[in-house]
Amino acid sequence: MDVRAHNREAWNKEVETGNRWTIPVRPDEIAAALHGNWGIFLTPTKTVPRDWFPPLAGAEVLCLASGGGQQGPILAAAGAVVTVYDNSPRQLEQDVLVAEREGLPIITIEGDMADLGVFPDEHFDLIVHPVSNTFAPEVNPVWREAYRVLKDGGALLSGFTNPWAYLFDFEIEEKQRILQVRHHLPYSDLDSLTEAERLRLFGSDAPLEYSHTLDDQIGGQIAAGFVISGFYEDRNSPDEKDLLSEYTPYFIATRAEKLNPQRY
C-alpha cells in the first residue's frame, strides 16, 4: 500500500468530518496573538511553554506536518515568517483560509514530512511538529531532515504518541472499558491487525497509524544530532473518554536544539 497516498486522502476526509486537528483558529485567537497573547498545542490539552520559543519577530518557522489552520496562523500573527508543510491539500487549505481571512503571509507546501528536499540546509529558526509522525511508517528520516533544515541554535518542538497506547486490544477497550494487552510494539495498522480487523475497527478511510519506540522518538532525535532541552507529558481531553488517559499520560512533547558541537 502507498501509505503516504492513503493518508493524504484520509486526512482530506478528516477535514470534511471535522477532526479537531482540522478546525482553523477563530478570529479572536488571531486578534489576541497580534497583541502578544497566544499559545499553541503540540498535544491535546497542554499549551507549549513560552520559554520553548525563540523571539518570533521575523523568525523563519516551519510547521511540519502541521496543516489545519491552527499553529501556523497563530505563529504568523505573533510575528513569525511561517511555512506550513503538510501531506494533505485539504489541511493546507485550512491554513490558506485563515491567512486570507486575517491577511497573514503564510506559505503552504504539500509534501512528505520525511522529505524536506524543497528546503535548503540551515533555513529555519524553529520547527513545530505536533502529533503527526504517528502517520509515518519511519520516524528517523523525519528527525534527520528536521536537523538538516534547522539553523545552528534552532529548535524542534515535537509532540508524539506514547508507544504503550498501542499495546491494548482496541475493540475490548472500546466496548468493555478494559485494558487488555494484545499488540507487540512497535505497532502498525497494516502489520498488527488483519485487514478485516482494521476495516471493521476503523473503516477504509481512516489514516494508517504506527507506534514508534522511544528509542526512535527520543533516541532518534539525539542520534540525528539534537540535544533534548525540554520535555512534558499530556493526556487526551476528557471529552475523548479515553480509558488509558485515566491512568497515564498518553502523549509526549519534547524541545530539541541543534547546537554547534564546537561550543563543547
Side-chain angles (χ1 to χ4, degrees):
M1 182 181 290
D2 185 335
V3 173
R4 181 187 167 195
H6 175 92
N7 280 351
R8 180 191 305 115
E9 294 307 312
W11 272 101
N12 287 343
K13 290 183 172 65
E14 293 294 313
V15 175
E16 296 173 8
T17 58
N19 181 299
R20 64 160 292 183
W21 296 103
T22 73
I23 299 173
V25 292
R26 304 183 309 270
D28 63 295
E29 294 175 278
I30 295 297
L34 289 168
H35 291 88
N37 182 17
W38 58 272
I40 66 167
F41 295 89
L42 295 171
T43 57
T45 68
K46 291 185 180 180
T47 54
V48 182
R50 286 290 289 268
D51 63 3
W52 280 24
F53 295 89
L56 288 180
E60 290 280 355
V61 175
L62 174 64
C63 290
L64 178 59
S66 180
Q70 298 182 6
Q71 295 87 6
I74 291 291
L75 295 170
V81 179
V82 172
T83 300
V84 181
Y85 190 79
D86 198 276
N87 188 42
S88 163
R90 291 296 308 278
Q91 279 283 75
L92 293 172
E93 286 175 10
Q94 303 298 73
D95 290 275
V96 172
L97 183 153
V98 181
E100 292 180 347
R101 186 188 74 199
E102 306 292 342
L104 298 171
I106 296 175
I107 299 168
T108 60
I109 302 175
E110 181 185 335
D112 180 356
M113 71 181 87
D115 180 2
L116 304 183
V118 296
F119 304 116
D121 295 354
E122 300 184 357
H123 183 69
F124 295 101
D125 299 290
L126 177 71
I127 297 176
V128 173
H129 181 51
V131 177
S132 53
N133 66 39
T134 296
F135 309 103
E138 300 289 339
V139 70
N140 285 300
V142 179
W143 304 138
R144 291 193 293 267
E145 279 289 84
Y147 189 87
R148 179 184 65 79
V149 302
L150 266 178
K151 298 176 184 176
D152 179 42
L156 165 67
L157 313 185
S158 304
F160 46 90
T161 307
N162 195 312
W164 62 44
Y166 293 90
L167 276 172
F168 305 100
D169 188 299
F170 306 125
E171 195 162 23
I172 291 175
E173 180 178 353
E174 180 181 359
K175 293 182 177 179
Q176 301 181 39
R177 301 290 289 172
I178 293 172
L179 294 171
Q180 180 170 303
V181 173
R182 174 186 171 181
H183 301 120
H184 294 278
L185 299 181
Y187 167 90
S188 159
D189 273 347
L190 293 180
D191 299 326
S192 303
L193 302 172
T194 67
E195 184 176 8
E197 285 177 317
R198 179 175 63 84
L199 294 176
R200 185 180 75 249
L201 287 168
F202 309 124
S204 60
D205 295 334
L208 296 170
E209 296 190 16
Y210 301 82
S211 80
H212 301 291
T213 65
L214 293 180
D215 266 351
D216 284 343
Q217 291 282 26
I218 297 175
Q221 293 185 64
I222 296 169
F226 287 107
V227 174
I228 305 294
S229 59
F231 181 98
Y232 64 85
E233 295 178 297
D234 197 7
R235 300 171 188 259
N236 258 319
S237 56
D239 59 0
E240 295 286 343
K241 296 182 173 56
D242 173 60
L243 181 60
L244 185 60
S245 281
E246 295 178 13
Y247 294 91
T248 186
Y250 198 99
F251 299 98
I252 293 168
T254 56
R255 181 180 190 270
E257 295 182 71
K258 179 177 180 177
L259 300 179
N260 187 335
Q262 293 179 354
R263 295 179 184 175
Y264 302 95

